[in-house]
Amino acid sequence: MTELQAPADETLLLKDFTEKAYLDYSMYVILDRALPHIGDGLKPVQRRIIYAMSELGLKASAKFKKSARTVGDVIGKFHPHGDSAAYEAMVLMAQPFSFRYPWVDGQGNWGSPDDPKSFAAMRYTESRLTAIADLLLGELGQGTVEWQPNFDATLEEPCVLPARVPALLLNGTTGIAVGMATDIPPHNLREVVNATIHLLDNPNASVADLCEHILGPDMPTDAEIISSKSDIRKIYETGRGSIKMRALWTKEDGDIIITALPHQVSGAKVIEQIAQQLQAKKLPMVADLRDESDHENPTRLVIIPRSNRIEAESLMNHLFATTDLERSYRVNMNYIGNNGRPGVKNLQQMLSEWLVFRTATVRRRLQHRLDWVDRRLHLLDGMLIAYLNLDEVIHIVRTEEHPKEELIKRFALSDEQAVYILDTRLRQLARLEEMKIRGEQAELAKEKADLEATLGSERKLKNLIRKELQQALKDFGDERRSPIIERAEAQAFSEADLMTSEPVTVVLSDKGWIRAAKGHDIDPASLSYKAGDSFKFAVLGKNSQNVLLLDSTGRSYAVAANGLPSARGQGEPLTGRLNPPSGAEFAGMLMGDDAQKLLLASDAGYGFIATLGDLYTKNRAGKTLLTLPQGGKVIAPLLLQEIANAFLVAVTNEGRMLVFPVGDLPVLPKGKGNKIIGIPSDRLQKREEFMVGLAVINTGQSLRITAGKRHIALKLKDLEHYMGERGRKGNKLPKGFQMVDKIEVEG
């Protein structure tokens, strides 16, 4: 290991030096920069700003002073860092849209919710403390806290301010240290104080009990908190989690008006996010967008739908999912405890630790007052002796070379009493009256007894803390700003939702080239095809739907209709979009709603009922849908309009026909299905007998059977001879129709 070149007594391994230096830096950042203290909820820079302002006399009743004066004192006396860093920390404490209860009262330009960093320079703005800052500073001069030297040891500063309420929860804080961070959201003073009083009275109260008082965070905005009660309670139980906020909106003359934004969300940025979607044509249902925010309406964003038929709820749900109109806030309740160590605590631990701090603070304040009362009583005892022996005291002062020692010796006084008598002016001494001294003694004696009783009784000490909390509640308690309303998760529009639904005709050629033509009045056979190619399938649908295909192996595929090439050209091969098995051909093409029923069958005489949704897959290689028995082939699928009163007609190549209710077939998502008509497996494998046609017939329709040049039309009542149970062989057709080519339904 290389050693640093240094005198022998200062030699240090490089590893040890760097490790110590980094650890020192880490601890500095954690304890003296980034994390707040449980006592006053402040980071060091915030504490120093507030203390420096109090030293300048900038209370809420004082006149404003230039912010540069405050910043100068802060960085010159307590915080030797850049003036811009100190001023930004001060600005944050003055912005009512950043802090729930601002500590600094600002005059001038202190930024706006749209651009919090647009504040004027410190030479232009003026500031003073707010009235509520007295909750932090009111007891500072009463011996309540420890003091420490400033950076150059010429002054002293408080280690922590004697807060009368749990300020850490009121305004929350965010900070990034080394290896840890903190994110504590702001809360409502009334809720926090009520929870603290409850915990004071019930030290064993659970987090659930405290959540009866603290409903959740309370941001400095009117937007909604939409997290569930269970999620919020879990955050308070663990100290970690996230909170969701959503903008408030209303409808006004058909327009959508956004009236409140989530915490720290810029209206200008939201407008920009929506405008980007408009430019990208991802919001076809929005006609215009305006920002009408002003002094009277700090937030007023107007969204104008294209028509009254647009569902405002759906549109806003999309915007919540895709813009900052809905935002998540991380919660990580990490702070420096009374023991000087950082840690993540739950709500009960936080308030309990603060009550320990508050109890110690009140004890110190009472003890400080008791010490002062004892000292004052001691001095008054001396003054009473001096008054009762005034002539002799004056004689000693006039004649003795060392009057203090003589007074101590003559009247058995303490050194402090003797100094106090000598420091008193003669005219004041002469004016003193015995009754006044004894009256003050009586008052102080009563106060001393009260102080000693309070310090000696836990119950009385708790009563005093409760009384002071209730007074803070009376002086500064307000209503919750952020309502807590549980909402369902927002969903963005899919591409299909954003698309205008227009009729299309999708055409597939014999060699597998596909294209789409607008409208349903297209003659697919009249379109131009490549040499050696010809028309195979055409299907009517909408450009917002999927084209579903079935190949000769029983696999299904899906292609979005809106992505197909125009029918003005000759299309493109499906193999560029799909990967069917080698040698497979497309046996059917369909479009419609996912719930649409259809009949899937093989010429082996098996089939089942499925839905169009069962055919859908994102896989380019498709998915197995129809299982083919050995020797079987796929029959083109049939759409089913009605099942209840419909009959299925099955015909074999040998002229056998069977008719039975369609409802006898099972509804399956995939598989081989059930037997439709009986065909011996050995004859099927030799392709001697197989099913050549399927048709679904309803009342009022007729069945057209074609065999060569012969054809016959049969009504439903004419088919009674062929009706039977599913899976039977069926009956022979009349002579001349033993070799059926196809069957069709008419009417």
Side-chain angles (χ1 to χ4, degrees):
M1 178 66 70
T2 304
E3 294 187 357
L4 295 174
Q5 296 300 317
D9 58 337
E10 294 183 13
T11 300
L12 194 66
L13 290 175
L14 181 60
K15 172 182 176 294
D16 295 339
F17 172 78
T18 53
E19 183 177 319
K20 183 179 184 303
Y22 187 70
L23 283 174
D24 289 347
Y25 165 73
S26 301
M27 291 308 296
Y28 166 75
V29 172
I30 291 169
L31 300 178
D32 290 327
R33 184 187 296 178
L35 299 190
H37 192 279
I38 181 64
D40 55 14
L42 300 174
K43 299 178 186 179
V45 65
Q46 296 171 328
R47 186 179 302 118
R48 287 161 176 166
I49 290 168
I50 292 172
Y51 175 63
M53 292 182 76
S54 71
E55 287 294 286
L56 285 169
L58 294 176
K59 293 189 175 181
S61 56
K63 289 183 178 180
F64 289 95
K65 278 189 180 177
K66 287 289 185 184
S67 301
R69 172 73 186 277
T70 299
V71 172
D73 268 30
V74 170
I75 64 176
K77 293 180 178 179
F78 309 112
H79 200 71
H81 295 270
D83 58 352
S84 61
Y87 183 48
E88 283 191 26
M90 181 179 175
V91 168
L92 196 67
M93 293 193 292
Q95 291 176 335
F97 49 84
S98 294
F99 265 43
R100 180 66 177 82
Y101 300 96
W103 303 124
V104 177
D105 182 11
Q107 186 168 270
N109 175 15
W110 290 81
S112 67
D114 268 351
D115 187 4
K117 292 190 178 292
S118 62
F119 50 84
M122 59 184 176
R123 61 182 177 275
Y124 299 118
T125 62
E126 298 178 337
S127 56
R128 63 185 179 190
L129 292 169
T130 56
I132 199 172
D134 191 55
L135 292 178
L136 299 176
L137 296 161
E139 301 171 3
L140 188 59
Q142 300 176 30
T144 49
V145 295
E146 297 288 342
W147 294 72
Q148 63 187 8
N150 69 338
F151 64 90
D152 61 359
T154 57
L155 296 168
E156 286 200 327
E157 60 176 324
C159 299
V160 63
L161 298 181
R164 273 183 278 163
V165 292
L168 178 58
L169 283 172
L170 297 190
N171 284 317
T173 189
T174 61
I176 300 174
V178 177
M180 62 178 66
T182 183
D183 291 279
I184 302 174
H187 290 76
N188 182 269
L189 185 144
R190 180 174 294 167
E191 293 180 6
V192 170
V193 170
N194 283 332
T196 307
I197 292 172
H198 180 79
L199 186 61
L200 182 68
D201 296 334
N202 306 277
N204 295 322
S206 65
V207 172
D209 297 332
L210 299 177
C211 285
E212 295 296 320
H213 299 280
I214 298 180
L215 304 179
D218 187 22
M219 307 290 189
T221 171
D222 298 327
E224 297 175 340
I225 293 173
I226 63 168
S227 299
S228 66
K229 288 184 178 179
S230 60
D231 288 346
I232 294 173
R233 181 168 296 182
K234 189 175 181 182
I235 290 170
Y236 289 135
E237 287 173 347
T238 63
R240 288 189 173 93
S242 65
I243 292 288
K244 280 187 179 180
M245 288 200 80
R246 184 176 286 184
L248 288 183
W249 65 279
T250 184
K251 287 196 75 173
E252 188 178 296
D253 298 328
D255 297 341
I256 296 170
I257 312 296
I258 297 168
T259 56
L261 295 171
H263 182 42
Q264 294 178 329
V265 168
S266 161
K269 186 177 180 182
V270 170
I271 289 286
E272 182 184 346
Q273 289 172 334
I274 300 175
Q276 285 175 352
Q277 293 192 42
L278 285 173
Q279 290 173 0
K281 297 184 178 178
K282 291 186 177 180
L283 278 178
M285 63 287 294
V286 174
D288 197 9
L289 184 67
R290 292 198 304 270
D291 185 355
E292 296 182 354
S293 305
D294 53 27
H295 289 291
E296 291 184 7
N297 302 290
T299 301
R300 184 179 169 84
L301 309 182
V302 183
I303 300 171
I304 304 171
R306 284 200 180 276
S307 72
N308 293 329
R309 295 190 301 273
I310 302 295
E311 288 188 15
E313 290 278 353
S314 299
L315 174 56
M316 289 306 297
N317 266 334
H318 170 77
L319 293 177
F320 289 142
T322 57
T323 69
D324 284 347
L325 288 175
E326 181 177 311
R327 190 167 176 183
S328 290
Y329 300 86
R330 188 177 67 166
V331 178
N332 181 27
M333 297 201 281
N334 189 12
Y335 61 87
I336 298 170
N338 291 323
N339 59 2
R341 296 180 179 180
V344 178
K345 310 286 178 63
N346 65 31
L347 180 63
Q348 197 270 351
Q349 291 169 325
M350 286 181 76
L351 291 180
S352 295
E353 196 164 357
W354 183 83
L355 279 173
V356 170
F357 166 81
R358 182 60 186 161
T359 302
T361 302
V362 173
R363 277 189 177 280
R364 291 179 64 132
R365 187 188 79 208
L366 296 177
Q367 188 62 51
H368 178 78
R369 179 64 182 176
L370 180 60
D371 293 343
W372 182 89
V373 169
D374 282 339
R375 179 173 176 271
R376 182 63 181 165
L377 283 171
H378 182 61
L379 294 177
L380 287 175
D381 287 342
M383 289 301 296
L384 187 60
I385 291 171
Y387 177 76
L388 294 174
N389 302 276
L390 185 57
D391 293 338
E392 190 175 351
V393 168
I394 293 172
H395 176 74
I396 290 172
V397 171
R398 289 184 64 191
T399 60
E400 293 293 332
E401 185 178 352
H402 302 289
K404 184 177 79 169
E405 287 77 6
E406 187 62 29
L407 286 173
I408 292 172
K409 180 180 177 183
R410 173 68 183 81
F411 299 110
L413 300 175
S414 69
D415 187 82
E416 192 177 18
Q417 287 174 321
V419 170
Y420 186 66
I421 291 169
L422 291 172
D423 286 345
T424 304
R425 290 181 181 181
L426 185 61
R427 75 169 102 180
Q428 289 176 314
L429 198 63
R431 234 176 342 142
L432 289 173
E433 299 176 10
E434 182 181 359
M435 291 302 293
K436 285 184 179 181
I437 295 174
R438 294 193 184 278
E440 186 178 353
Q441 280 181 323
E443 288 179 7
L444 291 175
K446 182 178 182 301
E447 183 180 355
K448 178 181 178 180
D450 290 341
L451 289 169
E452 288 176 338
T454 303
L455 284 168
S457 168
E458 289 290 333
R459 182 178 59 81
K460 287 187 176 181
L461 192 62
K462 279 188 177 182
N463 288 338
L464 177 61
I465 294 171
R466 183 190 304 105
K467 183 179 177 182
E468 290 173 351
L469 284 169
Q470 289 169 340
Q471 186 60 47
L473 187 63
K474 181 181 177 182
D475 292 341
F476 302 106
D478 59 356
E479 295 298 323
R480 164 175 283 278
R481 284 198 63 183
S482 302
I484 300 177
I485 303 173
E486 186 175 348
R487 303 282 190 189
E489 187 175 351
Q491 295 289 336
F493 288 136
S494 64
E495 288 189 17
D497 295 330
L498 294 172
M499 196 183 308
T500 54
S501 188
E502 297 176 352
V504 291
T505 302
V506 179
V507 180
L508 181 67
S509 75
D510 195 52
K511 293 195 179 295
W513 286 62
I514 194 167
R515 49 189 153 168
K518 290 183 178 180
H520 288 169
D521 54 352
I522 306 299
D523 179 9
S526 65
L527 297 175
S528 66
Y529 294 87
K530 287 185 174 291
D533 200 1
S534 59
F535 166 71
K536 185 172 186 178
F537 294 127
V539 65
L540 306 180
K542 297 179 180 178
N543 64 343
S544 57
Q545 295 173 334
N546 288 303
V547 182
L548 304 166
L549 299 114
L550 185 68
D551 74 7
S552 56
T553 68
R555 297 183 72 81
S556 66
Y557 309 83
V559 177
N562 66 315
L564 296 177
S566 170
R568 292 192 183 96
Q570 292 175 332
E572 63 180 45
L574 263 175
T575 50
R577 296 171 179 260
L578 306 174
N579 296 326
S582 177
E585 297 180 356
F586 291 104
M589 185 167 68
L590 302 158
M591 287 183 75
D593 297 329
D594 286 349
Q596 171 69 55
K597 295 278 197 304
L598 74 155
L599 177 65
L600 294 170
S602 65
D603 66 1
Y606 287 86
F608 61 93
I609 297 171
T611 64
L612 284 182
D614 295 328
L615 276 69
Y616 179 77
T617 175
K618 291 183 179 179
N619 194 345
R620 286 171 57 94
K623 70 175 183 178
T624 301
L625 182 72
L626 179 62
T627 304
L628 298 175
Q630 190 173 358
K633 295 182 180 180
V634 173
I635 288 181
L638 290 175
L639 290 177
L640 302 175
Q641 303 304 326
E642 184 182 346
I643 295 177
N645 299 311
F647 288 85
L648 180 62
V649 181
V651 179
T652 70
N653 62 328
E654 290 198 342
R656 288 191 293 108
M657 184 166 76
L658 178 67
V659 181
F660 62 88
V662 175
D664 289 354
L665 283 176
V667 178
L668 302 171
K670 63 179 181 177
K672 183 174 75 171
N674 286 8
K675 187 180 287 187
I676 295 174
I677 189 169
I679 299 174
S681 59
D682 57 335
R683 289 178 59 79
L684 173 68
Q685 291 173 20
K686 295 176 183 177
R687 300 300 291 175
E688 292 176 352
E689 186 176 3
F690 48 87
M691 194 164 63
V692 293
L694 279 176
V696 177
I697 185 170
N698 290 280
T699 305
Q701 295 179 322
S702 61
L703 184 70
R704 183 183 176 90
I705 303 172
T706 304
K709 294 183 179 180
R710 291 172 177 265
H711 62 82
I712 185 173
L714 301 173
K715 295 285 189 182
L716 190 57
K717 63 182 180 179
D718 301 326
L719 299 176
E720 290 184 7
H721 175 66
Y722 302 99
M723 288 190 179
E725 293 182 4
R726 178 188 57 76
R728 298 292 186 183
K729 288 185 177 182
N731 292 323
K732 283 279 190 177
L733 285 165
K735 191 175 181 180
F737 290 91
Q738 302 300 313
M739 300 293 289
V740 176
D741 293 323
K742 63 179 178 178
I743 57 174
E744 298 173 296
V745 175
E746 297 178 337

